[in-house]
């Protein structure tokens, strides 16, 4: 006579768990790397040109932070959101994941918009020449705005992964101490035969107040 076992196959649980671990590792890597790349790119030279000052040409340069402060600010917001994903659950995790993704989108748009922007250099040319209508000449741009855009794309990827797989990721638990070791569980004190209230409490917990072992 054949019997059918109801024990589930272990592969059923292995798939989601494996996907959660892989997506978590990829999100952490892409998010941290994206924020670092965006911050680094904003400190580099994005554009350069010349301005005519007293009959001569004066060289001007503009860093990413001179062109726009959006990528650097959103990189910090995105990094904070990446950490906050593990401090919240359910609806809170979903909201933080949206913030993470939108930070990447904002960096991406701001960097691409500033890739051919000349306003920062025009302001420098106006100050250097003393003419408010002066503009920069021989304008050229570097590849750093596109590097910042790549950092935004990585943050966007981390946000999308959090939206898709965040429910499978672990979160911070109050059951663990700061050193990562589980807190010891409190054990009920044995009932004192001389205290009737202890005897009743033990009975309510389903314990034998006499302490006798069952036969």
């Amino acid at each position: 006579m054949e019997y059918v076992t109801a024990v589930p196959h272990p592969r059923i649980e292995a798939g989601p768990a494996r996907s959660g671990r892989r997506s978590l590792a990829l999100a952490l890597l892409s998010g941290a790397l994206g924020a670092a790349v965006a911050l680094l790119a904003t400190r580099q030279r994005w554009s350069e040109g010349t301005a005519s000052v007293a009959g001569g040409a004066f060289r001007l340069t503009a860093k990413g932070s001179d062109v726009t402060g959006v990528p650097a600010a959103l990189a910090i917001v995105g990094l904070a959101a990446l950490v906050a994903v593990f401090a919240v659950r359910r609806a809170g995790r979903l909201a933080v994941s949206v913030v993470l993704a939108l930070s990447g989108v904002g960096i991406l748009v701001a960097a691409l918009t500033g890739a051919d922007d000349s306003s920062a250099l025009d302001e420098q040319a106006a100050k250097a020449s003393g003419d408010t209508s002066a503009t920069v000449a021989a304008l050229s741009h570097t590849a750093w705005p596109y590097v910042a855009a790549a950092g935004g794309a990585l943050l966007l990827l981390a946000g999308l992964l959090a939206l898709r797989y965040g429910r499978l990721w672990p979160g911070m638990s109050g059951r663990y101490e700061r050193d990562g070791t589980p807190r010891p569980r409190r054990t009920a004190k044995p009932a004192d035969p001389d205290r009737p209230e202890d005897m009743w409490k033990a009975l309510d917990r389903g314990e034998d107040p006499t302490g006798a072992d069952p036969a």
Side-chain angles (χ1 to χ4, degrees), residues 62-147:
K63 297 188 299 183
S65 56
D66 299 327
V67 176
T68 174
V70 172
L74 289 182
I76 296 175
V77 171
L79 192 59
L82 181 65
V83 176
V85 164
F86 304 98
V88 293
R89 294 180 181 274
R90 298 183 178 86
R93 177 167 292 184
L94 177 62
V96 173
S97 301
V98 171
V99 172
L100 178 59
L102 290 179
S103 298
V105 172
I107 293 174
L108 186 60
V109 173
L112 293 178
T113 303
D116 57 355
D117 184 87
S118 62
S119 59
L121 288 178
D122 289 339
E123 292 179 3
Q124 294 186 25
K127 292 179 181 179
S129 62
D131 183 3
T132 56
S133 61
T135 57
V136 68
L139 179 64
S140 63
H141 299 274
T142 67
W144 282 107
Y146 301 100
V147 176

Side-chain angles (χ1 to χ4, degrees), residues 19-31 78-102 153-170:
S19 298
R21 289 193 298 270
R22 289 179 178 177
S23 60
L24 173 59
L26 181 58
L28 287 174
L29 177 61
S30 60
L79 192 59
L82 181 65
V83 176
V85 164
F86 304 98
V88 293
R89 294 180 181 274
R90 298 183 178 86
R93 177 167 292 184
L94 177 62
V96 173
S97 301
V98 171
V99 172
L100 178 59
L102 290 179
L154 289 173
L155 274 173
L156 173 59
L157 174 61
L160 294 177
L161 288 172
L163 287 171
R164 174 63 179 85
Y165 298 102
R167 60 185 178 81
L168 302 176
W169 296 351

Side-chain angles (χ1 to χ4, degrees), residues 188-193 195-196 198-215:
K189 296 181 179 180
D192 187 353
R195 294 174 59 87
D198 288 352
M199 305 285 285
W200 285 110
K201 290 180 181 180
L203 289 173
D204 290 339
R205 293 194 299 267
E207 299 174 356
D208 183 1
T210 64
D213 294 332

